[in-house]
Amino acid sequence: MKKIVLLFLFIITLPVIAQQDIKTLKYCVDPDWMPFEGVVNGKHTGIASDYLELFSQSLPYKFILVSTNSWKESTDFLKSGKCDLTLMLNSSAEREKYLTFSLPYFFGPNVLVTKGGMPFIQDLTAIGDMTLGVVSGYRLLEEIPMYYPEIKIKVLSSEEAGLLSVNQGDIDAFVGSLYSINLSINTLNLQSVKINGWISLQDKLRIGFTKPNAHLTPIFNKTIEKISSKQHNDILMRWSDVRVVKQTDYTVLYYFISGMSLLFIVFLWRYLVSIKISNALKHKNKELEQIREELLFVNKELEYLSFHDNLTNLYNRHYFMSTLNDHLNQLARQEIDSCILMVDLDFFKKINDEFGHAVGDKILQQFSALLLNALRAGDIAARWGGEEFVVLLPETDNNSSLTLAKRLIEAVEHHSFDLNINLTISIGVSQFKDNDTIESWIERADTALYQAKNEGRNCIKESL
């Protein structure tokens, strides 16, 4: 009998023992960063909540949400130790002072948003004199001034404030995550703004642990490595076109309905069935809409690839000729000046032969960045072939073109390329004439370039 009692006591205490083995972890989130994460009616939601469910299934931890009103407050809580971790953020030098980061488990592009009428922005190097909006506390506010110190930045309180500032014309452009910006534009119904460029700084989102919890990093890393591609894709598909809907608490109504007569319950049941069917149809329509949006996104990527050179990210020859044809039609209707620059990297074959093609490719990429930085918004730069480049300067006369060409030559001479390679360039300039065709205009620029190369290189020649 005594053994039976002891066995009974052991069985009823098992749940208590198991519960003691489960460690509680408090986490903070950005309450207003959908679809990545948010708090709706006191509950954590978004992409991060789905990944948290995966972590909960694999690890012996109980996760408790610490409610905050803003990302700044969440950051303050992490610094003070009121939270043990946060689920989804980029690492940065500033954040590494108080957080230890896991492996990245979600990747996403960052994009530029402008008014609808502005030309496509190839990268941050093409911002020029425009004012760029960045959200306070976000990693981009640290990295953009580090890599692009010449850009004029306006700090904003939130992504919504940034998009509204672009819409109202207070700033020229705003930068942020593709997924959250796409959702915000649709939610705010902003008709006059558009996603109008990509930047090379990609989101690599991780878990951030406070320093006292740094020992958890390798444990969570093992779980992150086990997440399958299908699980990643399922989560992205589920949240790629989300809409935030505030839910109403119907608890009182449910109690009222429970006391109604059997006849009312029958009618209610029929109503719920019809709602279920309707929701199923809506769900299918939503899936079709998501597929349509994904196809549009893929088509835009393919369009970008078809118009750009894969190595330098400049426009390719096909796009340049198409643009030049449209521009020539415009010149036929208007009396405006335009010029073409043909640019060649001097003795580039020698660089390839001496240092290898990998170094040569880096030189081409670095020169392309210098070229974009020297141009104005509206100028079109393309890789013509090999080490030769072509630039269209709309509404520009011969003197202004020569000034720009001199500035480019000086920039190349003073730039520190890989392996301290000294590089010079030769440039041919041709201004549009009334009887010019595309072929004759380009040919005159090419002839001027050939003359510059024959007369010692590292110089500029004008076409006659």
Side-chain angles (χ1 to χ4, degrees), residues 165-330:
S165 294
V166 173
N167 188 56
Q168 294 162 6
D170 297 332
I171 58 176
D172 302 300
F174 176 74
V175 64
S177 168
L178 169 66
Y179 300 116
S180 59
I181 279 180
N182 182 54
L183 172 62
S184 296
I185 289 175
N186 291 330
T187 302
L188 297 171
N189 194 27
L190 299 177
Q191 303 289 334
S192 63
V193 303
K194 68 174 182 178
I195 295 173
N196 198 29
W198 303 78
I199 71 171
S200 57
L201 299 175
Q202 184 186 40
D203 281 331
K204 299 177 182 178
L205 302 178
R206 315 160 186 260
I207 305 171
F209 299 95
T210 57
K211 294 298 183 180
N213 292 285
H215 63 280
L216 298 174
T217 308
I219 299 173
F220 278 75
N221 281 345
K222 289 181 180 179
T223 301
I224 289 171
E225 289 173 340
K226 292 178 182 177
I227 299 174
S228 67
S229 297
K230 183 180 184 304
Q231 288 173 312
H232 284 298
N233 290 334
D234 287 346
I235 291 173
L236 178 58
M237 288 285 289
R238 186 155 52 248
W239 292 100
S240 60
D241 194 24
V242 70
R243 298 291 186 274
V244 179
V245 180
K246 300 292 183 180
Q247 298 179 352
T248 305
D249 187 0
Y250 289 106
T251 304
V252 176
L253 181 60
Y254 293 155
Y255 279 115
F256 174 77
I257 293 173
S258 66
M260 298 298 288
S261 65
L262 180 61
L263 180 61
F264 180 79
I265 293 174
V266 171
F267 280 108
L268 179 61
W269 175 79
R270 293 183 62 184
Y271 172 75
L272 292 176
V273 170
S274 66
I275 290 294
K276 185 176 181 180
I277 294 172
S278 176
N279 286 339
L281 291 173
K282 288 179 180 178
H283 180 70
K284 289 297 181 184
N285 288 335
K286 185 177 179 180
E287 288 182 340
L288 291 173
E289 180 63 18
Q290 287 178 347
I291 292 172
R292 188 185 72 85
E293 292 293 334
E294 288 169 7
L295 288 173
L296 287 175
F297 180 76
V298 171
N299 285 337
K300 286 180 180 178
E301 285 191 315
L302 291 173
E303 181 181 6
Y304 179 85
L305 292 173
S306 67
F307 288 158
H308 289 78
D309 174 62
N310 186 49
L311 177 64
T312 63
N313 284 327
L314 296 177
Y315 288 116
N316 58 27
R317 185 168 182 161
H318 170 73
Y319 178 85
F320 183 86
M321 292 298 288
S322 175
T323 302
L324 191 60
N325 184 61
D326 294 339
H327 188 63
L328 204 68
N329 293 333
Q330 182 183 2

